[in-house]
Amino acid sequence: MSQSDLRALFRSNDREVKAVDYFADRRDEWDSVARSLVHLVREVRADGFDVQDLETPRRNVLTFYGVGGIGKSTLSRCVAQHLTGDLPVQGHWPPLDESLGPVVPVRVDLSRDSGVDLESLILAVRLAAAEIGQPMPTFDLALQRYWEHNHPGEPLEEYVRRRTRLSSLPGARNLSAQMQSALADVAQAVALPGTVGQVVGHGLRTVVRALRERQHRIRALAECSRFADLLEATPDQDALSYYPHLLAWDLASLPAKHRATLVVLLDTFEDVGDRVHRDLERLVQRLVWLMPNALFVVTGRNRLQWDDSLLEGQLDWAGPECWPQLVGGATREPRQHTVGYLSAGDCETYLSQRLTRDGRPMMDDATRRLITANSHGLPLYLDLAAMRFLDLYRRSGNAPSVHDFNLDFPALVARTFRDLPPDVRRVVRSVSLLDTFSVPLASAAAGFDHDAPAQNLVDRPFVDHDPGAPWPYRLHALVRDTVREADSTSDDRWTSADWQRAARRAFGALGQEDKSHRGRLVSALRQGLALAHQFDLPLGWLEDAAFQYVDDFVWEPVEPPAAVLAGASPTPAQALATTLSAIAQRQRRHRGSTAQQLRDVLRAGVLPPSLDELPRYFLAECDRDLGNFQESLNGMQRVADRGGRLAATARRGLIHLARRIGDFPQARGAALHLGTEGRQDRVLGDLWWPQGSIALACSAYAAGRDQALATGQVGEAALSQACLAFAAAFQDRPRAAEQIARAEELLAGVSIRWAETQTRIAALVRDAGIAPDLPERAEAVAVEAVEAGLTSSVAYIRFAECLHALVSGSPEALTQARGHLMADCVNGVEFAYLAELTYLMADEEPPSDLPRAEWLDSVPQVRARWVGLVEDRRHESAAQQGA
């Protein structure tokens, strides 16, 4: 199995010298793939198999794991090529059993710097399914809804075309036509005007209701029991992670003559499993579980731990009862395999066919035997040895001596390193400090004002190239580590002072890079934090980058290297990394966990004063969400008094606290001094709606949203829009539906858990007094809010329940809802204003022992507005019931 090695081709004038990228046998691994497919297809075709069964243990994961440089990625690539028929067999790997039917592979590199996320992974799987040539109606309708909300104005086919990884997949040319066909069928079946655009743009409620009532008209949808529920769900990333269930259903629903088996190859899986709190791994596992009729071939450095019951909570399905064939000792395929080193025979074959002249091996028998013995079967060693052989041959015109290859792996890397020109060696040392790099970044890190040495380096076989990453090049991990270790023995070795200077150059070069692109900002933070931690560098540009990272509510995990977070005595870089990781993760876990991490950072006292406000402010914010009023007040006040970068944000936090205790005049007085930087309009909206002044609140929120959009602050715009949807829901139900939909669109590109919950509460307020199932819906949202530690969200949910009971005319339900509000949310004065409002809008006198708010207007004015809102909703409810 081979292809031309262009790098080697251009290293010699001798046209008879042939160099190919040869892949050694790995026959046992291929046999495991073939047997896994046989077992999977047999299980899928068996009577009783139900793709909608979510409780049966899964047996659709084949894992190959082993040390770096062993050839796992090459194995993954070759399996994919062999399954497509693009790789010549040459007598090594036999073809699949024809009885299996068509097999459609897709390979995805999950490495941290590849830029792959859940969305691109699912799109890649769908593009592979497009090769089957049949529509996938349930999945495509859900995907189209997701796409319209999350990529407004950007056609899916254009998105795919502009992304090299996706556009290179064969199914890319078929996807658009298949989706158009499926959506047109839906339009006809639900009796809507028969254009795709009208189906997508039509009111979701109408489409979903029509599908619920008439989906029997579409044969492919008739028995997909979870289809309408998924279509109704908010089209965010969480919903997207469940859409593979629909794709699995579509594949299973195809006529027998059109069925095919998807094989999804997930490479570099260690970068998924090592990410903070397994967030991405959880979503990838969900994809695997929901597609039991597809085979997943996972390659990485570590075995999958999904059979470990201790991971329950971090993963949706964990334990041997869920994944019986991932446990140690399993014998039936698919299962977990260690990828072994190449046998001596494989090494001999590799070296014989890697370099040839006049059709014969360039290396003599003795050289091949010595290289084989020293390699211990490591493919990377063989490749480095072959390139060294070719370089020595090019210099002398004669075959090198066998004695030139009596080297172990570190020695071979060191010899290869010494064979490089001095300027290139300098670049190699410099980029060994970085995870990924570009040619200009490598030149700057090496201290050069020209790119030739760096360009020379990136053409070498031990440099990996990923054009989709923020910086496209990286040294092979083993070479990178060995360069650092072997440098202590080289003739021109660097001293510790040289390495320190190189670290400062690399750190400074990262600081000069354009970080307006979010992916590059996160990558720069991760690499910069590692350098600052390892070489005890001043934080410098990391301070600005850290504030840029937290500025707009877009919370991708920083994912700093483990070394940055480890150790009992933290460095400033370690403390900053912990802070940023905790801030991001608070969107995905209980606020209490985040608060504890931030307290630990502050207790360590290693951050400079200019950065101390970062953990202090977000700790105060967590305390506010957790109901720790006084602690939050003290923290916010301290940050505001310092006058630093977060002072305006802290002053806004103090206003939120004043609003919580019903001191509205004080809150308004402070809000009028916030200005644009302090999000003044959004804060004023927060003050207007409790007064019953809904129009003023909506106007303020809309102004805040528009200002944020004008300045490119997507996160702030999404937050203001969520608040606008909530306020509008009290007064104008049709407008509220539009505002909720827009909030969902804006929130799709960011991660703001409070705003996501607020949008769901807006839907509750909109339906208060109208929807009979509102109490059940409210309880589901409340459970999620409690799990996240969002006290204000729980308070608003209980208030919505009181409104529902009041509009519905149920005194018993109102008493119960008030009891929940008082028990769950009212803590002394805190949130007492919401309890007071439940009496004012019922035109009742609040109990004498209930703390009273200081309203912006008189109590009779506030009462009159809320009574009017309730009456309007009652009339609307009566009109709907009469209709």
Side-chain angles (χ1 to χ4, degrees), residues 263-308:
V263 178
V264 183
L265 299 107
L266 304 175
D267 191 28
T268 327
F269 201 84
E270 66 270 14
D271 273 10
V272 172
D274 287 348
R275 291 178 180 176
V276 179
H277 294 284
R278 299 181 183 266
D279 290 328
L280 181 57
E281 184 178 8
R282 181 176 193 152
L283 300 178
V284 173
Q285 191 207 55
R286 193 173 293 167
L287 164 71
V288 176
W289 185 272
L290 296 175
M291 297 191 70
N293 51 347
L295 177 66
F296 290 83
V297 181
V298 175
T299 46
R301 293 194 177 190
N302 310 312
R303 69 180 298 276
L304 281 183
Q305 297 176 297
W306 297 354
D307 60 318
D308 187 347

Side-chain angles (χ1 to χ4, degrees), residues 372-454:
T372 294
N374 289 334
S375 74
H376 301 288
L378 185 66
L380 179 62
Y381 183 99
L382 301 177
D383 197 43
L384 288 173
M387 288 298 95
R388 172 167 169 75
F389 186 97
L390 191 60
D391 281 340
L392 294 175
Y393 174 85
R394 175 178 54 82
R395 294 173 191 172
S396 66
N398 298 312
S401 165
V402 63
H403 302 294
D404 291 318
F405 295 92
N406 191 18
L407 306 165
D408 59 16
F409 183 79
L412 175 61
V413 173
R415 184 64 60 87
T416 302
F417 179 69
R418 285 198 293 270
D419 287 344
L420 298 173
D423 284 356
V424 179
R425 289 202 299 274
R426 182 183 178 94
V427 177
V428 173
R429 288 183 172 116
S430 300
V431 298
S432 72
L433 297 168
L434 300 170
D435 292 336
T436 59
F437 59 93
S438 63
V439 169
L441 181 58
S443 299
F448 292 143
D449 58 2
H450 57 289
D451 290 339

Side-chain angles (χ1 to χ4, degrees), residues 805-821:
L806 185 58
V807 174
S808 301
S810 174
E812 297 81 4
L814 178 57
T815 300
Q816 183 180 22
R818 276 181 181 153
H820 287 158
L821 175 62

